Amino acid sequence: MIDRRSFINCSATCVTSLVAASSAKAKEPELSVSSVNGYDYRRPKFKKGSRLLFQGDSITDMKWGRNQKDRNHYLGHSYVYLIAARLGVDIPEAQLDVYNRGMSGHKVRDLKARWQKDAIDMKPDWLSILIGINDVGRTVTKDKGLEEWEADYRFILDASRKANADLKLVLLDPFVLASGGLTDPSAFKAKRAIVDKLCAIVPRLANDYGAIHVKTQEFFDQAARKVSPEQWIWDGVHPLPQGHELIARNWLQAVSEATNKEV
Amino acid sequence: MIDRRSFINCSATCVTSLVAASSAKAKEPELSVSSVNGYDYRRPKFKKGSRLLFQGDSITDMKWGRNQKDRNHYLGHSYVYLIAARLGVDIPEAQLDVYNRGMSGHKVRDLKARWQKDAIDMKPDWLSILIGINDVGRTVTKDKGLEEWEADYRFILDASRKANADLKLVLLDPFVLASGGLTDPSAFKAKRAIVDKLCAIVPRLANDYGAIHVKTQEFFDQAARKVSPEQWIWDGVHPLPQGHELIARNWLQAVSEATNKEV
């Protein structure tokens, strides 16, 4: 038998804790497509002063200001801006140095052509790459181009690793949803079939190069099922602000998992 | 005396709840300048399909794409984009319709000059205004202009309320920090003295017009004390991405408090 005082003390703590726990539960959104817990994310760990470089096509580019002295626009308005904004508030002590060198319309071969200046010479500590959608149906068709795509991608990863053996890599799958001009089923199907092939390559590259892999197509599919494709991507290819937010949250979660694991 | 079974049941719940509560505590960042709890925010309540209009100067503008058909850039890269991105993920069912009509360089009299087209005719359900910094030292000096500034601001608020009695208003204080060209103490002091006068007017307007008030200068001061002015604002006036993130978080908190209070 337990004495009354112990029980009362325990009960008070119970009540307090249960109230706290149920308040926390009440805050959870009814509909959340984010794979991050509610909206509280575990902060990634970065060495102080880390230089983060984001590379890719228009989805990354989003009109970052080529005059880098103008700090109003230096990151453009993509997931890059969202990531930098968030980390700048939540881990200001990390003093992250963020760069956007995405370029609208670029394919992997275009990255290769400018890789020395726009990736190697920039000496990043972290390199994040989202590329592929512009290759689809052009350099990579249903019959050919896949091997060359992979070879070009490996070329730039080899070059980056050679320049910096400690480079941290993040590779994002290209993606497409059936919205805008891609609501036409056969147009979408053809495009998606090729994107799927690229999405089979990126995880292999991530594995081979010790990169963090962000399953962009997967979470966009999940989000599209929960709400609609049009909620996230307006023309089949380009994310709306909330689509960029999905990319940012999943990028942060993947990087957080990887960096909080390391001892 | 309490029987053993009750005590054991209570203890188990205690332990579970305490573990949950302490895990939640462990997630709190060591340094957080956000006035939002950690980074989990309580979602504001909006009627479905609400139209949100953001007005102001360059801090709001941030190059939103004047071709509104291009949904890549329709919100520019300011706190407006951050708010829309976040709410688009967390309350997609609200189907918010977000507009940015901030214009670089504008003073309150410039808003007044275009108010019919860029505020009244847009028929917003929510209207958020951040204006004043361009008036400082120009239309409002240490000696004059304050009354006219307030009169012009009241003019546009009157017009908006007349067009829509149910309009929800959010008014943000203008702000300035001692960074960039404003690290010069006398330059900063002169500018800040006038901003402070505007910051005395905005809460009065918020009170008179039943608006939600966002204490922008206050939280930027707090953030500057915790880290540095340069972390948030690069030239004394324009926020960096994390500065915009601070505005977004505080805007969301203020709107969340107001909308979750209503029965």
Side-chain angles (χ1 to χ4, degrees), chain B residues 107-121:
Chain B
K107 307 174 182 70
V108 72
R109 63 175 57 166
D110 299 308
L111 296 192
K112 186 180 167 185
R114 61 183 177 94
W115 205 243
Q116 185 65 42
K117 173 171 148 288
D118 282 352
I120 309 293
D121 294 349

Side-chain angles (χ1 to χ4, degrees), chain A residues 51-52 64-76 81 84 96-101 122, chain B residues 62-63 77-78 179-180 230-244:
Chain A
R51 176 171 291 183
L52 274 57
W64 57 271
R66 275 36 177 185
N67 169 18
Q68 290 271 278
K69 287 200 182 109
D70 179 354
R71 301 314 267 170
N72 281 333
H73 307 290
Y74 81 103
L75 290 179
Y81 176 74
L96 299 175
D97 190 21
V98 186
Y99 293 83
N100 185 342
R101 290 292 181 271
M122 298 200 60
Chain B
M62 293 296 266
K63 285 196 184 155
H77 32 281
S78 66
S179 69
E230 291 80 15
Q231 175 69 12
W232 312 106
I233 294 183
W234 64 279
D235 61 355
V237 168
H238 292 97
L240 289 163
Q242 52 271 19
H244 281 282

Side-chain angles (χ1 to χ4, degrees), chain B residues 137-252:
Chain B
R138 297 182 192 121
T139 50
V140 182
T141 62
K142 63 180 177 67
D143 301 314
K144 59 182 188 62
L146 211 54
E147 286 178 15
E148 291 86 342
W149 191 84
E150 183 170 349
D152 283 345
Y153 211 144
R154 285 182 182 274
F155 180 94
I156 61 176
L157 294 174
D158 283 334
S160 286
R161 274 255 175 268
K162 189 176 170 187
N164 176 5
D166 296 326
L167 179 70
K168 310 279 198 207
L169 278 165
V170 185
L171 304 184
L172 294 86
D173 289 337
F175 53 86
V176 70
L177 286 182
S179 69
L182 281 184
T183 40
D184 172 70
S186 56
F188 176 71
K189 199 175 162 189
K191 204 149 182 136
R192 181 62 189 254
I194 301 172
V195 171
D196 285 346
K197 292 187 191 206
L198 302 185
C199 287
I201 293 174
V202 178
R204 236 180 21 243
L205 296 173
N207 188 60
D208 291 351
Y209 289 86
I212 295 165
H213 176 224
V214 181
K215 300 178 188 178
T216 343
Q217 180 69 78
E218 199 175 288
F219 65 71
F220 269 121
D221 285 341
Q222 183 191 34
R225 277 193 301 271
K226 278 204 174 183
V227 185
S228 71
E230 291 80 15
Q231 175 69 12
W232 312 106
I233 294 183
W234 64 279
D235 61 355
V237 168
H238 292 97
L240 289 163
Q242 52 271 19
H244 281 282
E245 177 71 12
L246 271 193
I247 299 176
R249 290 190 191 191
N250 282 276
W251 190 99
L252 286 166

Side-chain angles (χ1 to χ4, degrees), chain A residues 54 57-66 68 70-85 98-102 130 232 234 238-248, chain B residues 58-68 70-85 100 241 244:
Chain A
F54 290 82
D57 50 40
S58 56
I59 297 159
T60 301
D61 184 339
M62 293 295 268
K63 284 196 184 152
W64 57 271
R66 275 36 177 185
Q68 290 271 278
D70 179 354
R71 301 314 267 170
N72 281 333
H73 307 290
Y74 81 103
L75 290 179
H77 33 283
S78 67
Y79 63 95
V80 180
Y81 176 74
L82 295 171
I83 289 167
V98 186
Y99 293 83
N100 185 342
R101 290 292 181 271
L130 170 56
W232 312 106
W234 65 280
H238 292 98
L240 289 163
Q242 53 270 20
H244 281 283
E245 177 72 11
L246 270 193
I247 300 175
Chain B
S58 57
I59 297 159
T60 301
D61 183 339
M62 293 296 266
K63 285 196 184 155
W64 57 271
R66 274 39 176 182
N67 169 18
Q68 290 271 278
D70 179 352
R71 302 313 268 172
N72 281 334
H73 308 289
Y74 81 102
L75 290 178
H77 32 281
S78 66
Y79 63 94
V80 179
Y81 176 74
L82 296 171
I83 289 167
N100 187 340
H244 281 282

Side-chain angles (χ1 to χ4, degrees), chain A residues 45-52 74 83-84 87-88 91-98 126, chain B residues 231 242:
Chain A
K45 288 187 164 55
F46 292 98
K47 278 188 193 155
K48 185 174 175 178
S50 288
R51 176 171 291 183
L52 274 57
Y74 81 103
I83 289 167
L87 295 178
I91 47 169
E93 63 279 10
Q95 292 293 292
L96 299 175
D97 190 21
V98 186
W126 282 79
Chain B
Q231 175 69 12
Q242 52 271 19

